[in-house]
Amino acid sequence: MSETASELAFKARELDAGDELAGVRARFVLDEAVYLDGNSLGALPAAVPGRVEDVVRRQWGELRIRSWEESGWWTAPERIGDRIAPLIGAATGQIVVGDSTSVNVFKALVGAVRLARLAGGEARDEIVVDATTFPTDGYIAGSAARMTGCALRPVTPAEVPGALGDRTAAVLLNHVDYRTGRLHDLPGLTAAVHAAGAIAVWDLCHSAGALPVGLDEHGVDLAVGCTYKYLNGGPGSPAYLYVRDELQDRFDSPLPGWNSHADPFGMRPDYTPAAGAPRGRVGTPDILSMLALEAALEVWDGVSIESVRTKSLALTDLFLECVAQYVPAGRVESLTPVPHAERGSQVALRCADAGQVMERLIEQGVVGDFRHPDVLRFGFTPLYVGFADVERAAGVLAGILRGGGG
């Protein structure tokens, strides 16, 4: 081991020794691999298997239909939403859990256009969308535009302020870019959207559970996000929809269902939306995955999102430092911004043969992921990733890129 490598390995051990979140790792089911793919699928919280067994065997198996009341199934969407709320800077009563992120993007975006038109008239006929967004968001924005008679205007986040005008109805943005890990300016962009009289919709998939969001503080109108990344809810776990409190009585969901009716068991032919966050519900909640998510969120007991952010930045700082020292010059290029204010909780490296490199990394116990055509993505979940993990991952990457065994 070179002197630089020895110094960085020592630095990693020192950081681990002072890590206030180190003990949280024991709340997860993990092996010896360095798991840096929590930005795609979070690790399994240890409490989940037992909770799911109870839901299946006792609540469903024994109580059966009684569990809607006796086990709290009926109130789960709002109860779990309130559990997520402090992680994204929201007061209780503004989040409902259920459906997929895609479905919630559709609800939020069509609802946003309707809100804008209530305030500003039919002249609001344009939806602005992040041109670099995750593809599904773009697909849904296009569908929402067709449905509402709006023009779709894709621009980069940096171009958003200049693209806004009196025709803008809604703006859909990602808080963190899924390819590069770039953190966008939620407070500044939300203020610009509001100054134009439009409604701001934020996709929090790559920020919730990794960094403070501040939905209430910054006046965000609507937000959506998944729960299977940094919130560790499990594959396909239900997403959530945030509707700011003062907009709830005007939020008109394009997917009204019996579960969001003011009198759900009245089975009336006419629709009257429920008050508050429940009007974001649609059909019968997906109870098994929802209650698995509820158990998963227990790993956050006693953990502040601010401490997670502090560790996230330290982890990504160390990884970038190790990559710069270990990896042969010119072999990779970081796409992730260096300034903390512009960085999420992942590092993206451009690499000519990224697909093959990631395969070899996984074979050697470092799990990240690959994005076409040439991006290695590494997600850092501070609840269970340590500093020695980071130094080891950079060393294995360097070994592969030197043509060795890591």
Side-chain angles (χ1 to χ4, degrees), residues 106 109 127 129 135-152 172:
F106 181 75
L109 203 49
I127 294 174
V129 64
T136 297
D137 282 14
Y139 306 155
I140 291 175
S143 178
R146 293 190 298 273
M147 180 177 180
T148 57
C150 286
L152 185 67
L172 173 62

Side-chain angles (χ1 to χ4, degrees), residues 200-405:
V201 182
W202 283 92
D203 183 328
L204 308 179
C205 285
H206 286 269
S207 58
L211 52 92
V213 177
L215 293 181
D216 289 353
E217 177 185 358
H218 303 303
V220 169
D221 301 304
L222 303 166
V224 302
C226 68
T227 60
Y228 48 79
K229 300 182 190 297
Y230 297 108
L231 297 180
N232 310 294
S237 57
Y240 55 89
L241 170 67
Y242 164 91
V243 181
R244 186 156 54 91
D245 182 69
E246 52 263 48
L247 298 177
Q248 289 177 359
D249 61 348
R250 287 170 283 148
F251 178 70
D252 182 9
S253 173
L255 294 173
W258 79 279
N259 243 244
S260 63
H261 198 288
D263 182 16
F265 293 99
M267 303 301 168
R268 304 177 187 279
D270 56 313
Y271 179 73
T272 303
R279 69 173 53 196
R281 294 169 69 148
V282 183
T284 304
D286 39 353
I287 291 298
L288 297 183
S289 57
M290 191 170 291
L291 296 187
L293 167 63
E294 185 172 34
L297 291 170
E298 292 175 5
V299 301
W300 289 92
D301 290 347
V303 175
S304 74
I305 195 65
E306 290 75 19
S307 64
V308 166
R309 177 59 169 166
T310 297
K311 183 178 176 182
S312 164
L313 291 171
L315 287 167
T316 49
D317 278 345
L318 180 63
F319 185 69
L320 288 168
E321 183 180 5
C322 289
V323 167
Q325 293 293 331
Y326 295 172
V327 172
R331 195 64 176 83
V332 299
E333 173 194 359
S334 177
L335 303 178
T336 301
V338 172
H340 287 179
E342 300 174 19
R343 189 192 311 166
S345 198
Q346 75 176 52
V347 171
L349 302 176
R350 177 170 286 143
C351 179
D353 46 355
Q356 294 178 343
V357 170
M358 185 52 67
E359 288 178 3
R360 293 195 62 194
L361 279 166
I362 293 171
E363 289 171 358
Q364 296 182 41
V366 175
V367 182
D369 68 16
F370 159 69
R371 284 293 177 266
H372 184 81
D374 58 0
V375 176
L376 300 169
R377 290 197 322 168
F378 302 94
F380 297 82
T381 304
L383 299 183
Y384 54 75
V385 174
F387 294 93
D389 295 329
V390 166
E391 192 273 337
R392 174 186 162 193
V396 172
L397 174 63
I400 291 170
L401 295 180
R402 285 194 303 265

Side-chain angles (χ1 to χ4, degrees), residues 46-116:
V48 169
R51 187 69 53 81
V52 170
E53 182 176 13
D54 178 69
V55 172
V56 171
R57 292 188 181 277
R58 184 182 65 84
Q59 296 180 29
W60 180 15
E62 297 176 15
L63 296 178
R64 293 179 287 275
I65 198 72
R66 292 160 51 198
S67 276
W68 285 104
E69 294 295 334
E70 294 182 27
S71 300
W73 289 1
W74 184 257
T75 58
E78 294 76 51
R79 183 177 71 245
I80 301 171
D82 286 345
R83 185 68 180 82
I84 292 171
L87 302 179
I88 54 178
T92 59
Q94 299 177 99
I95 299 174
V96 64
V97 173
D99 306 310
S100 67
T101 306
S102 303
V103 171
N104 283 318
V105 168
F106 181 75
K107 292 182 210 170
L109 203 49
V110 174
V113 173
R114 293 173 175 176
L115 284 166

